[in-house]
Amino acid sequence: MTARATGTAPRLWTWRHLVAVTLARSLLAGLIGLAAWGALPAAIGWHPTTVSSGSMMPRLHVGDVAVSRPLGDHVPPLSSVLLFHDPDHPDRLRMHRFVRVDDDGLLVTRGDANNADDSSPVPLSAVVGIGTLRVPWIALPITWLREGRWLPLGLVGAGLVLTLAVATSGRDRGFGDDDEPDDPGAGSTPPASDDEAQPPPSTSAAWSGAHAGLRRLGVALGAGLLVTALATTADAKFVATTTSTVSLGLSGYATCASAVAGLGPSIWYRMDETSSTTTSAADGSGNNRTGVYGSAGKTTTTAKPCAQDTGRAMTFDGSSGYLSSPQITGALPNTFSLAIWFRTTTATGGKLIGFGNQQTGASGIYDRHLYMTNSGQVVFGVYTGGVKTVATTRAYNDGAWHLGVATLSSAGMRLYLDGALIASDTSTTAGEGVTNGYLRIAYDNIDNWTSTPSSRFFAGTLDDAALFPTALTAAQVSALYASAG
Amino acid sequence: MKSPSRRALRLSHWLVWPLAALATCAVVGQASYSAFSAKVSNTGSTLAAGTVVLSDDDSGSALLSLSNLKPGSSGSRCIAVTSSGSLPSAVKLYTTDAATTRSLSSYVSWTVTQGTGGSYSSCSGFTALSSGSSLYSGTLAGFTSGATTYASGLGSWSPSGNGSETRTFQFAYTVSSTTPDSAQGGTSSFGLTWEAQNS
């Protein structure tokens, strides 16, 4: 510390020196006072914390010590600054402003310098205290130490040492009024601490003791502050977010089978038979309308339109293969839907699916049917005092799987291909009055219909032929098609 | 000029304490009032010495918006997130407002990969990080229930705060080919949030 003069004639105090020493002591006393403000409240259970980032600017600065008092049983007022357990970092405290209560009764907080509320609201139980005292800048050296900023730390440290040196200088000096003996304490009391001001010279041991007590108090306060402030910091977090959204939807049905089943068919030939010579076609509708295959002219295949489905499809040769339902007793329906998957490259057309009055061979009465023309257009025909047809303009004999759906109801005829409405006729709402007909697939009479194809037999692969007792809606048809995956 | 007396010195030393006490009371009182009085207006400040800023390149569009998926459907999308703040920060990714019907999200496998290159408009040029590139791999249900806050968020990206940094996130989905019929017509939607907090 200060060099002690060992000579016999000590220099005298000067007024300038006295002012300098007083200022230096004032500065140190002020610092001790601030430290006391930061540290003493801890003695009554308040929480001093060092502000470690600037998201509460300009209200709180980095390096401030913020002292929070416990809430007790009180509810914090809106807009108060709260110290709470950081919901995003389990071991930290955060000090932000309380802006509102959310729908779940949680406290929404926000840093004054942030442009958005904190993303994680906190329960009342997470609140440690309410900001009450701000001791400015006193913990800046701690912040610097934490951040490894040695230059300002060194400058402040040097300044402090210099101030200490000035504050403690002069004890070896003499006075202008030599009417009192030299201070006995000046030479005999060793410096108790390098950090604190030395006691001023005193003639009385009581004075000296009081000063030593103050000094110890200052040391204790400084150390206390250092410990508490180092131990707890309040992260006033800067927050920024950017967002996007995701929405995924599964089509209505995971499989064709579930789609058909979900729509409630009255006849459903899945054509999953593994034999090419079987004459029995299982009905998947649950109505036990087991169909009849022609024993020849067909080949079972694993190719199928529905990627997610199990089962098979049936290829018809266009010259003898067919499939027919057992007799459908009663009048043929005027509200129904026909659906069938087909794949072909034929140039001679043929019957896809429809009603006739014979189970095998060519029917004499035949309508409510879907057929393909030689050029590949798909036609939906209903007989009501004359042939009524709606047809596609494009050709579907392109070698790819297509779903043909025809509906008849009081709303008229509708023809859907691949889930989309292609053509409709609202004036035709009923077919020919026939009782006890048959559902015919891949073969029947088509004579005298629009663009009659050259072949009654259809040459191509068919799957999931179904009759529904309702006119499927556009959405249902779309879902049916989408279920193919 | 005459040298100060012993008495003057003693007086000056004692005066220091009440003066310092008064001064610190004034400083702390004023600072406390301006910091903690709820009456003090609370407007966003531009005084902040540093800040964190985050943006992405989706121009407000949804990352994914798909309504006609089938079992077996798959695809991916990239999004580039840019940090342009001046403070070092840690960025986490989490979901908000997750909703699913018919348990669809249990049948969607979901991966989140971080890397560089690529953009919202196209993943072409995307390169996964050489290490730690996988942020998530599992069911979508696990993703939306696991990462819901900053604390539970995914990611190891810590922008330094020196200039802008961009990281690309690739999201890939696959609808399980064994999705049961009970998930027909199911939906899953949620928000994605990248949040940066200064470290």
Side-chain angles (χ1 to χ4, degrees), chain B residues 19-42:
Chain B
L19 286 178
L22 275 177
T24 55
C25 282
V27 166
V28 170
Q30 163 59 25
S32 301
Y33 178 78
S34 73
F36 296 124
S37 168
K39 294 187 184 72
V40 175
S41 72
N42 170 30

Side-chain angles (χ1 to χ4, degrees), chain A residues 13 119 200 237-238 242 252 482, chain B residues 3 13 41 56 70 184 195 198:
Chain A
W13 279 89
S119 58
K237 281 291 183 191
F238 280 113
T242 184
Chain B
S3 182
H13 284 173
S41 72
D56 64 56
K70 316 280 190 314
Q184 292 161 13
E195 178 170 331
N198 62 299

